[in-house]
Every structure is written in structure tokens, then in C-alpha cells.
């Protein structure tokens, strides 16, 4: 049987509630930010800064969090391709065209669904052919973000 390290106590009920409230607030703000971006409303650096503050994370990690969120929402059908793509494009621009890691992979997955390459047959759905296979792979990685 594993024993708990007595040097790292369990958070008290009050602390657990505060942590849960903080996470709920961050998730709510993240969902609001994605919704505003999808509606092409003004979203900018101050919004990302606020999410950094709420999550106590740096920008690259916040970009990954947003990317994981849109990947899950798109895969569940709660976010259409166009809206998920708009958020991915916002992340690309907001990062000064310098995304890395998970967020860049998400951007590229949605970018691949924006147009039909010239070598594909007319009528081919680029989202189905190029974005969905990548989204399935990204979902497995999203839980690590």
C-alpha cells in the first residue's frame, strides 16, 4: 500500500473549493473568449493576459489550453469548423505567427481544412479528408495540455 508523504498535506476543503472556483472561472472565461473570437468580436492581447493571470500560466501554455479547448469542442460538435478555424487563426496572429507545440499542430489541422488542394477531386471535403484525422490524433494529446 502506498503511503502519503506527510510533507505534502492534502488541501483543506476550503482550499479545494477555492481551487475549484478558480478553475471554473478560468474555464468560463476561456469559453467566453472562444465564443467572442468565433463571432469575430474584438479579442486581443489583454484577453490573453487575463487568461494567463487566471490560469497562472505563460502565453505558450495558454495558447495550448485554447487550442485543446477548440479541439474538444469541435470534436464534440459544439463548435463548427468555421468557428474553430477562426479561433485557430486568431491564435496564430496573436502569437505573432510563432505558435509552437500543440497549439501550432491545432492551427495546422484547421488550416488544412480551409481549402481543397489542386490535386484533389472536385467535391472532396477538405475538413473531412485533412482536418478530422488530425483532430482525432490531437484529442489524445489534448488531455496532456
Amino acid at each position: 500500500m502506498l503511503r502519503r508523504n506527510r510533507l505534502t498535506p492534502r488541501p483543506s476543503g476550503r482550499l479545494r473549493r477555492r481551487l475549484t472556483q478558480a478553475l471554473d472561472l478560468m474555464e468560463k472565461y476561456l469559453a467566453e473568449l472562444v465564443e467572442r473570437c468565433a463571432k469575430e468580436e474584438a479579442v486581443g492581447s489583454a484577453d490573453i493576459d487575463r487568461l494567463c493571470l487566471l490560469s497562472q500560466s505563460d502565453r505558450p501554455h495558454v495558447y495550448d489550453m485554447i487550442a485543446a479547448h477548440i479541439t474538444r469542442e469541435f470534436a464534440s460538435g459544439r463548435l463548427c469548423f468555421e468557428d474553430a478555424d477562426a479561433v485557430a487563426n486568431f491564435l496564430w496572429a496573436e502569437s505573432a505567427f510563432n505558435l509552437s507545440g500543440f497549439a501550432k499542430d491545432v492551427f495546422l489541422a484547421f488550416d488544412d481544412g480551409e481549402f481543397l488542394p489542386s490535386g484533389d477531386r472536385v467535391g472532396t471535403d477538405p475538413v473531412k479528408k485533412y482536418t478530422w484525422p488530425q483532430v482525432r490524433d490531437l484529442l489524445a494529446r489534448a488531455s496532456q495540455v
Side-chain angles (χ1 to χ4, degrees), residues 7 28 45 64 66 80 92 105 115 118 130 134 137-138:
L7 298 175
K28 182 180 177 186
S45 289
D64 285 347
I66 295 169
C80 68
W92 181 244
D105 293 344
F115 64 94
S118 60
Y130 298 108
Q134 293 177 71
D137 292 339
L138 290 164

Side-chain angles (χ1 to χ4, degrees), residues 37-53:
C37 188
K39 290 180 179 178
E40 297 183 15
E41 294 178 4
V43 178
S45 289
D47 296 299
I48 298 297
D49 290 341
R50 181 167 183 219
L51 201 49
C52 288
L53 184 65

Side-chain angles (χ1 to χ4, degrees), residues 20-36 50-51 54 65 69:
T20 300
Q21 289 171 345
L23 286 173
D24 289 346
L25 179 62
M26 185 189 67
E27 286 291 324
K28 182 180 177 186
Y29 189 70
L30 175 59
E32 177 187 309
L33 188 83
V34 167
E35 184 178 330
R36 286 177 36 219
R50 181 167 183 219
L51 201 49
L54 288 171
M65 287 171 33
H69 180 80

